[in-house]
Amino acid sequence: MQYHIKGMDCASCVGKIETALARLPGVSDIQLNYATEKLELTLAHDAKTQSHDIEKTIKRLGFDISDSTQSKSTTDMESDKPLEPEHWWQSRKGKQVIGLGLLMSAAYIIALIFPDFGMWAFAAAVIIGVFPFARKAVALAMTGTPFSIEMLMSVAAIGALIIGEAEEAAAVVFLFSVGELFESIAADRARAGIRALASLVPKTAILLDAQGKQQNVAAASLQVNDLVLVRPGDSVSADGVIIQGTSSLDDSPVTGESVPVSKTIGDDVFAGSINIDGVLQIRVEKTAADNTIARIINLVEQAQASKAPTARFIEKFSRYYTPTVMAIAALIIIVPPLAMGGEWATWLYRGLALLLIACPCALVLSTPAAIASGLAVGARRGLLIKGGSALETIGRVETVAFDKTGTLTQGEPRVTDVIAFTQEYSISQHEDFQGQDTHVQDAQGQNEILALFASVESGSSHPLAKAIVSHAEAANIVIPIASNASATAGKAVHATIAGRLLAIGSPVYAADEAVISAKQQTQIETLQNEGKTVSILFDEQSRTALGLVALRDELRDDAFEGVAQLKAMGVNAVMLTGDNRLTAQALASSLDIEWKAELLPEDKLRLLNEMKNNRKIAMVGDGINDAPALATADVGIAMGGGTDVAIETADIALLKSRVTDVAHLIALSRATMANIHQNVIFALGLKGIFLITTILGITGLWIAVMADAGATVLVTLNALRLLRFKGTNSRIKLSKVN
């Protein structure tokens, strides 16, 4: 049986539902994924449990459930999801937070105007606010989870209300509701990443019948061996193989390759790739449910399901804290009067004081207050951190894996070298330059060669062509007007300039069409060994090679500093890329880091899983192909200038796209965790002291109130210290985690 469950926001929700369902007779093989809100289970045919029992149990726990037994492909399921999910204030949790906020505001106003009725106003707010949590706590207790965080909060709020601290009880309920809402928002953002992935594959395709007639059909309807037409500018509608045509394809959504790849008959193509300059006929090899993008979606879902976020500290602690405190309070109220003849009123007073001291207000605040300050500091620097779990975990990572294209590099090719092979055309016919020194003539030759390159490429939309033209324009070089421009798809571009037939092609193509000397070949190979893409300009009539332009996606300006900061903090850096080995080796050598190249998304995923066996690891990327790796790493970090999919899938987004911000994140996390540890010591330390003094009768109810309030103030003030955190200039940046 398959269900869609709404309201699962974390691994804790999964545990509660699994515990409840496991108690139902005949239910087995329970599989839950909170990221995709899916539940699968097996129900025995002869079981007493019926489907309505399953639905009733889950609804009683506070979750919405709907039947989705009809099997659908991943792509179909994603298309069923609303393109515009509800805003947080439209959700049940959002309405609850808004309602509680209004109730507390009204209570404060009443308390100011009518002091005698203030307590009753806060009491009403507490009763209304705690009711849904108390009902859920009872349901959880009845289904096998008696000491849930809902139980802890409900007992604390009701206990504070009984003691007469209605205002504090209202604050506990409100803060807990806000925390639940933030958790829900973070989960919805993760799901938005999966929806964005599904949108990459075009919804329609051009199907060719046996007579070559074209028909627009839904891409999801394509079957294996169908023939489809892909025009220049179109996205490839299915995984397949080229049976006719040659073109350059932008495979960056799948492989991360920074430069479009020339493909021809017999080559594989991926769904979601962009066809640049040729008309292709493709035979479909995989259906929509099994294409490359669908596989990436599946990888993201699996990674999000297997990545259990660090359980909230209060959730763990409540397993022992709640029953222990309740048992101690009950014993203090009952045992002395029965066993030692004590006065019931005295020991009831002490038991209630103990409950007040045990009220976890300071403890509840200890973690979220520090996390809120840490998130605020990060936001000021342009770090979008999606929740406390990510902020906590990033400080413990030992290795940071970087994608190359758009992460360590600028994300687009740039001209690095311009070499004029001959001065026959450019220098000899300019008398003004005769007699000038060699350096001046070389510079003039390079400028004229660059002008010719830009002229021939001026009509092309290829990324390499755009880079060449932009480079010439930036150098204020006059670009001659070209005529008769044409292209040999995937191989070369041609144009006539001042009566000469010129062409630009790859070194392999140029070697077939022009004469390349040994010296020129050496220059070409040297540049290629540096990871650069080389284009050759040649005269088609005389078959003379005139010059070359080399391009490469260069490192970001702060890449060296960012990697150096990580090393200073004891964090290892490694580069994982789908780009070619020569480019990867050249750039990694400059940064002095480890590297792996020519990786598909599943390769990155495999390497990350291997590295995760014995250490915490973060992944930094910006492309669609990085989404599974971002999801499976302990912390996924996306560059803000990258794709929406990467940003949505990642736990953290670097909105200013700075490599140095990764080190800042780690430093901020370590400072935040140190603050949290201090807060917990403050909260538990004060409570421990006054628990003892209350039991001994040394301190009374008003001291208990002051102790709890004092712990809350200390925790809050200490958390606010984080707002002064200065980042990687701080002394804490070099501290290593043992």
Side-chain angles (χ1 to χ4, degrees):
M1 305 185 72
Q2 299 176 359
Y3 292 95
H4 176 78
I5 298 181
K6 188 176 181 180
M8 289 194 301
D9 299 328
C10 64
S12 175
C13 298
V14 170
K16 293 170 184 175
I17 296 174
E18 285 179 340
T19 301
L21 293 179
R23 294 164 66 94
L24 297 178
V27 175
S28 61
D29 300 329
I30 302 166
Q31 296 182 6
L32 276 158
N33 185 336
Y34 79 88
T36 57
E37 300 179 300
K38 295 177 185 176
L39 163 65
E40 293 184 6
L41 57 85
T42 300
L43 181 62
H45 290 290
D46 57 350
K48 295 181 180 180
T49 302
Q50 300 297 317
S51 60
H52 64 83
D53 296 321
I54 295 171
E55 296 175 9
K56 184 178 178 181
T57 298
I58 291 175
K59 287 180 179 178
R60 205 163 59 219
L61 297 179
F63 303 97
D64 294 328
I65 180 172
S66 59
D67 188 6
S68 60
T69 307
Q70 282 291 336
S71 179
K72 296 181 180 181
S73 70
T74 305
T75 305
D76 290 339
M77 293 184 71
E78 293 306 322
S79 64
D80 291 344
K81 294 186 179 181
L83 294 177
E84 294 292 336
E86 63 181 8
H87 298 289
W88 68 266
W89 58 83
Q90 297 172 316
S91 66
R92 183 171 60 183
K93 291 182 179 180
K95 292 175 181 177
Q96 185 172 328
V97 168
I98 294 172
L100 280 172
L102 293 174
L103 277 174
M104 289 191 67
S105 299
Y108 274 112
I109 293 172
I110 292 172
L112 288 173
I113 300 174
F114 306 106
D116 294 340
F117 296 95
M119 177 178 175
W120 297 107
F122 280 113
V126 172
I127 293 171
I128 295 172
V130 83
F131 178 74
F133 297 116
R135 183 174 61 182
K136 186 174 182 179
V138 171
L140 287 168
M142 294 175 63
T143 54
T145 311
F147 301 118
S148 62
I149 194 169
E150 288 81 6
M151 179 68 75
L152 174 69
M153 192 278 301
S154 299
V155 170
I158 295 171
L161 187 60
I162 292 172
I163 297 298
E165 290 296 322
E167 184 176 345
E168 184 178 9
V172 169
V173 176
F174 180 71
L175 286 172
F176 183 81
S177 300
V178 171
E180 292 283 295
L181 176 61
F182 283 158
E183 195 172 66
S184 177
I185 292 172
D188 285 340
R189 290 189 67 86
R191 295 180 188 117
I194 297 178
R195 286 194 294 268
L197 276 170
S199 69
L200 293 172
V201 179
K203 302 302 180 189
T204 61
I206 302 175
L207 180 66
L208 298 175
D209 61 17
Q211 289 74 39
K213 185 179 179 181
Q214 301 178 13
Q215 179 184 1
N216 287 323
V217 299
S221 68
L222 294 175
Q223 300 297 316
V224 176
N225 291 325
D226 280 350
L227 296 182
V228 293
L229 181 71
V230 182
R231 300 164 302 189
D234 288 348
S235 293
V236 178
S237 51
D239 281 15
V241 62
I242 298 173
I243 63 168
Q244 183 176 318
T246 299
S247 181
S248 296
L249 286 99
D250 179 3
D251 285 342
S252 59
V254 180
T255 66
E257 175 67 46
S258 57
V259 176
V261 180
S262 177
K263 295 190 177 183
T264 188
I265 297 172
D267 290 335
D268 294 327
V269 294
F270 307 105
S273 295
I274 300 171
N275 183 25
I276 294 179
D277 52 19
V279 178
L280 300 175
Q281 288 188 20
I282 296 172
R283 184 176 68 246
V284 176
E285 297 282 304
K286 295 178 181 177
T287 62
D290 195 35
N291 67 28
T292 304
I293 299 298
R295 290 198 340 265
I296 292 178
I297 291 173
N298 187 51
L299 289 172
V300 172
E301 291 179 349
Q302 291 177 357
Q304 289 180 332
S306 64
K307 181 176 66 175
T310 303
R312 291 175 294 181
F313 172 77
I314 300 300
E315 180 74 27
K316 293 188 211 175
F317 194 73
S318 66
R319 297 175 189 171
Y320 309 98
Y321 182 80
T322 304
T324 301
V325 167
M326 294 175 68
I328 292 174
L331 290 173
I332 287 174
I333 293 172
I334 297 172
V335 172
L338 293 179
M340 300 179 291
E343 294 184 3
W344 282 98
T346 299
W347 289 101
L348 177 60
Y349 179 88
R350 291 181 182 179
L352 292 176
L354 179 64
L355 277 178
L356 179 59
I357 291 173
C359 176
C361 189
L363 196 58
V364 167
L365 277 173
S366 62
T367 299
I371 292 294
S373 294
L375 296 179
V377 172
R380 284 206 304 259
R381 190 180 172 92
L383 312 178
L384 176 60
I385 306 171
K386 302 176 186 177
S389 178
L391 180 59
E392 176 182 349
T393 306
I394 186 64
R396 301 203 304 267
V397 301
E398 299 174 52
T399 298
V400 176
F402 289 93
D403 176 50
K404 179 188 72 67
T405 305
T407 302
L408 288 173
T409 67
Q410 300 287 348
E412 56 185 21
R414 294 188 177 184
V415 174
T416 59
D417 301 87
V418 178
I419 297 176
F421 286 156
T422 176
Q423 297 179 5
E424 173 188 349
Y425 174 71
S426 60
I427 298 296
S428 61
Q429 60 183 308
H430 291 275
E431 297 180 359
D432 293 342
F433 290 94
Q434 293 179 3
Q436 292 192 11
D437 63 52
T438 305
H439 295 293
V440 174
Q441 291 188 12
D442 286 346
Q444 179 65 20
Q446 290 174 0
N447 287 344
E448 292 197 8
I449 288 297
L450 180 58
L452 294 176
F453 261 100
S455 179
V456 176
E457 296 279 25
S458 59
S460 174
S461 60
H462 195 285
L464 295 182
K466 290 181 178 180
I468 292 171
V469 174
S470 297
H471 186 73
E473 291 174 346
N476 294 320
I477 291 175
V478 178
I479 301 175
I481 297 175
S483 60
N484 302 323
S486 63
T488 301
K491 294 182 179 180
V493 288
H494 315 266
T496 301
I497 301 173
R500 299 187 71 177
L501 300 179
L502 303 181
I504 298 173
S506 67
V508 174
Y509 180 81
D512 292 335
E513 303 295 326
V515 178
I516 306 292
S517 69
K519 179 181 177 182
Q520 293 165 356
Q521 186 62 37
T522 300
Q523 289 176 303
I524 293 169
E525 292 175 357
T526 299
L527 293 170
Q528 289 178 325
N529 289 335
E530 294 174 359
K532 298 174 181 177
T533 300
V534 178
S535 295
I536 308 297
L537 173 71
F538 59 92
D539 188 312
E540 294 190 281
Q541 292 176 318
S542 65
R543 294 175 54 86
T544 302
L546 303 177
L548 66 77
V549 164
L551 304 96
R552 189 171 68 182
D553 184 11
E554 291 293 89
L555 291 168
R556 290 180 181 271
D557 295 337
D558 67 340
F560 297 97
E561 182 183 356
V563 171
Q565 287 178 352
L566 290 175
K567 290 181 179 179
M569 301 173 78
V571 179
N572 186 42
V574 60
M575 184 173 73
L576 307 179
T577 179
D579 219 334
N580 65 78
R581 296 180 62 84
L582 290 176
T583 301
Q585 183 176 17
L587 296 178
S589 297
S590 300
L591 295 172
D592 191 24
I593 61 174
E594 301 175 37
W595 60 278
K596 296 286 184 181
E598 300 176 358
L599 303 175
L600 289 173
E602 50 264 42
D603 298 324
K604 290 185 181 181
L605 203 60
R606 174 180 52 79
L607 288 171
L608 283 175
N609 283 321
E610 291 174 359
M611 289 189 282
K612 280 179 64 179
N613 288 335
N614 53 11
R615 52 186 163 171
K616 293 283 185 183
I617 187 164
M619 175 70 196
V620 188
D622 80 316
I624 296 160
N625 60 297
D626 298 320
L630 291 172
T632 200
D634 294 295
V635 180
I637 304 172
M639 287 296 198
T643 63
D644 291 340
V645 174
I647 293 173
E648 294 288 356
T649 304
D651 303 297
I652 301 170
L654 309 182
L655 300 184
K656 297 182 180 179
S657 299
R658 295 183 298 212
V659 179
T660 51
D661 279 343
V662 178
H664 184 93
L665 273 172
I666 295 174
L668 176 61
S669 172
R670 293 178 181 179
T672 303
M673 292 311 300
N675 192 281
I676 289 173
H677 296 155
Q678 294 163 3
N679 286 346
V680 171
I681 292 173
F682 288 153
L684 295 182
L686 280 174
K687 289 183 183 297
I689 292 171
F690 286 101
L691 278 173
I692 296 172
T693 57
T694 299
I695 294 172
L696 296 176
I698 299 172
T699 55
L701 190 60
W702 68 275
I703 294 292
V705 174
M706 289 185 62
D708 187 69
T712 302
V713 171
L714 281 174
V715 163
T716 304
L717 291 177
N718 189 51
L720 291 176
R721 287 193 311 112
L722 271 175
L723 295 176
R724 296 181 296 172
F725 182 74
K726 299 300 181 183
T728 47
N729 293 325
S730 174
R731 181 167 48 88
I732 198 170
K733 73 165 185 174
L734 297 180
S735 62
K736 298 180 182 179
V737 178
N738 292 327

